Amino acid sequence: MELDKITDSSTASRRRYDDACGTAHALDLVGERWALLVIRELMLGPKRFSDIRADLPGISANVLTQRLEGLEASGIVVRRRLPPPASTQVYELTDWGYEAEPIIQELGRWAARSPAHDPSLQLSGTSLMLSFRTMFDAARAQAMNGTAGFRIGNETLVARVADGRLEAGRGDTAQADVVFTGPAPAVAAFVYGGVPLAALEAEAGLAVTGDRGFAARFAGLFNLPAKAVVPAADA
Amino acid sequence: MELDKITDSSTASRRRYDDACGTAHALDLVGERWALLVIRELMLGPKRFSDIRADLPGISANVLTQRLEGLEASGIVVRRRLPPPASTQVYELTDWGYEAEPIIQELGRWAARSPAHDPSLQLSGTSLMLSFRTMFDAARAQAMNGTAGFRIGNETLVARVADGRLEAGRGDTAQADVVFTGPAPAVAAFVYGGVPLAALEAEAGLAVTGDRGFAARFAGLFNLPAKAVVPAADA
DNA sequence: CGGCATCCGGGAAGATACTG
DNA sequence: CAGTATCTTCCCGGATGCCG
């Protein structure tokens, strides 16, 4: 039928918040399901379609396509073709897209206090690095220098501490003082959960090489906020 | 049929991100449509069902019911019955719920740079106060004291500047140095858009009483971030 | 195989009407 | 005023298939 024309020409897209508030507009841009997690996965640099998908367990290909199209149309993501040798396509955040990191950090910081948070689920290498950036306590890192390396799935990542600051992102683990190889949740259990390395090596498939003393001091730089106390739900 | 049992007992709720990342868990909590805007409307204090609904243009009653139920189950919102005289029911954020304000602020700060942002749409009084909190520039307020009052719809709000700090929330406009009466977007056009008061009084239904010099200095305390420069979408 | 387009089933959101 | 009931519409998720 030609009824579709009617909805087209009517006041506006019905699935949008017609609200001048910046928060509402942000939700117009990144409020759809998966959108912010796609941005999260691009936060450390460009990625291919399949790599994004591999790190977002549960997203289907068509939804990822739709999200990337939408984010590109909004000016948050650009699609680039790599130079001839590796002629594949990658997606990358625009400068403005990278500026969304504080949103991701505040969401994570707040949700870490949720009584329902389960830290044992799947975790991507990117998420781990971003959690380090979020939970880093600069005051504890004053007199500390060194680099931790991570081999998680196919990617290699580094977190470098120097001058009381932290740089966490992709990088070569060759120069690292300590290198963790294994699943990201195991690393998180060590850093945030205080689980001993020995236990994780025995049961969680984690391998650690290098300076284990530095590993312990590195873990001491981060801590999760306390759980929120919440009134009992009396249904 | 009894097929529903199968989906019930399967791995988990299908509509959730099974991801240990705090950001993903936050989206499990407040990622559904309207959820964050409901929280925003409660950010200045308890509200009744109908008042929330009135300030969220477009939300339907059943969706608001579902969101409030979900937020209550998550420990973000509590339902309270007011003391006998006014025996109505209100919804209020828990302490942890109030801690979500930085999320709302970062979303707003980021989206204000969006090329597609349209500040002429509907705006609630609550949104206006929260935008003041977000965009306040403490450095410019050093030697300034005073209170601006706002009468927007049914509610009265105040923004008080003192000691280089801003307090914006509900309050009595009786002591204010200047009082704005009219639609919130008109106030926003004055504060953020630099539109002259005379024009807004003539055309936007705004009424201003009191110290107009203070009004001008008050407006100077806030400014929107510059628009992001974004690559042209070459479809 | 990577990057989509297409079709389908289930479920969430939107609009309206109705009830205590 | 504070929701509930119902119906429609649209989005999400999964499977399949095309195309370079």
Side-chain angles (χ1 to χ4, degrees):
Chain A
M1 309 196 187
E2 47 268 83
L3 288 179
D4 44 2
K5 276 301 186 62
I6 296 174
T7 56
D8 277 0
S9 61
S10 68
T11 47
S13 171
R14 207 157 53 279
R15 222 35 178 271
R16 261 167 42 191
Y17 310 101
D18 288 324
D19 192 315
C21 171
T23 306
H25 182 56
L27 294 174
D28 282 335
L29 295 169
V30 299
E32 285 171 308
R33 194 161 158 74
W34 294 109
L36 258 179
L37 297 185
V38 170
I39 294 176
R40 179 195 76 187
E41 284 307 316
L42 296 176
M43 204 42 93
L44 299 184
K47 258 189 182 174
R48 291 181 306 179
F49 187 94
S50 304
D51 291 332
I52 301 173
R53 197 175 169 203
D55 283 333
L56 291 178
I59 195 173
S60 58
N62 52 7
V63 170
L64 181 53
T65 300
Q66 284 175 244
R67 288 303 159 271
L68 289 169
E69 279 172 0
L71 294 172
E72 187 177 18
S74 302
I76 298 165
V77 158
V78 287
R79 183 186 322 217
R80 268 198 312 137
R81 186 159 287 285
L82 290 184
S87 174
T88 105
Q89 205 173 199
V90 294
Y91 296 88
E92 182 171 20
L93 293 178
T94 62
D95 289 346
W96 177 48
Y98 281 113
E99 292 174 19
E101 183 169 357
I103 297 171
I104 292 172
Q105 293 196 347
E106 289 298 338
L107 281 167
R109 198 192 312 279
W110 178 76
R113 301 200 56 200
S114 166
H117 185 213
D118 177 3
S120 70
L121 298 169
Q122 216 264 355
L123 193 69
S124 74
T126 299
S127 298
L128 185 66
M129 293 302 112
L130 293 178
S131 79
F132 287 162
R133 290 189 190 173
T134 303
M135 300 304 176
F136 179 66
D137 183 347
R140 302 189 200 169
Q142 287 306 64
M144 207 174 140
N145 278 287
T147 301
F150 306 89
R151 301 182 161 278
I152 293 166
N154 295 330
E155 51 186 355
T156 65
L157 305 149
V158 295
R160 196 162 70 85
V161 184
D163 308 321
R165 301 187 57 231
L166 173 78
E167 287 172 17
R170 296 178 186 164
D172 190 350
T173 61
Q175 315 297 333
D177 296 286
V178 63
V179 176
F180 299 81
T181 304
V187 178
F190 169 62
V191 172
Y192 297 119
V195 179
L197 281 184
L200 294 165
E201 290 176 301
E203 297 167 22
L206 188 66
V208 182
T209 62
D211 184 346
R212 301 168 87 91
F214 176 74
R217 280 178 290 132
F218 178 81
L221 297 177
F222 312 92
N223 70 330
L224 293 180
K227 291 292 179 202
V229 180
V230 143
D234 40 34
Chain B
M1 309 198 184
E2 45 269 81
L3 288 178
D4 44 2
K5 276 301 185 63
I6 295 175
T7 56
D8 277 359
S9 60
S10 67
T11 47
S13 171
R14 205 157 56 276
R15 224 32 177 274
R16 262 167 43 191
Y17 310 100
D18 287 325
D19 193 315
C21 171
T23 306
H25 182 56
L27 294 174
D28 282 335
L29 294 169
V30 298
E32 285 172 310
R33 196 161 158 72
W34 293 108
L36 257 179
L37 297 184
V38 171
I39 294 176
R40 178 195 74 188
E41 285 306 318
L42 296 177
M43 203 44 92
L44 299 184
K47 259 189 182 174
R48 292 179 304 179
F49 186 95
S50 303
D51 291 332
I52 300 172
R53 196 175 170 203
D55 283 333
L56 291 179
I59 196 173
S60 58
N62 51 8
V63 171
L64 181 52
T65 301
Q66 285 176 244
R67 288 301 159 274
L68 288 169
E69 280 172 358
L71 293 172
E72 187 177 17
S74 301
I76 298 165
V77 159
V78 287
R79 184 186 317 218
R80 267 198 311 136
R81 185 160 288 286
L82 291 184
S87 172
T88 103
Q89 206 173 200
V90 294
Y91 295 88
E92 181 170 21
L93 293 178
T94 62
D95 289 345
W96 177 47
Y98 280 113
E99 291 174 19
E101 183 169 357
I103 297 171
I104 291 173
Q105 293 196 347
E106 289 298 337
L107 281 166
R109 197 193 313 279
W110 178 77
R113 301 201 55 200
S114 167
H117 185 212
D118 177 2
S120 70
L121 299 170
Q122 216 263 355
L123 192 69
S124 73
T126 300
S127 298
L128 185 66
M129 293 301 112
L130 293 178
S131 81
F132 287 161
R133 290 189 190 173
T134 304
M135 300 303 176
F136 179 65
D137 183 347
R140 302 189 200 170
Q142 287 308 57
M144 207 175 141
N145 279 288
T147 301
F150 307 89
R151 300 182 162 278
I152 293 166
N154 295 331
E155 51 186 356
T156 64
L157 305 150
V158 293
R160 198 160 70 84
V161 184
D163 308 320
R165 303 187 57 231
L166 173 77
E167 287 171 20
R170 297 178 186 162
D172 190 350
T173 61
Q175 315 297 335
D177 296 286
V178 62
V179 176
F180 300 81
T181 305
V187 178
F190 169 62
V191 172
Y192 297 119
V195 179
L197 281 185
L200 294 165
E201 290 174 303
E203 297 167 22
L206 187 68
V208 183
T209 61
D211 183 345
R212 301 168 87 92
F214 176 74
R217 280 178 289 131
F218 178 81
L221 297 177
F222 311 92
N223 71 328
L224 293 180
K227 291 291 179 202
V229 179
V230 145
D234 40 35

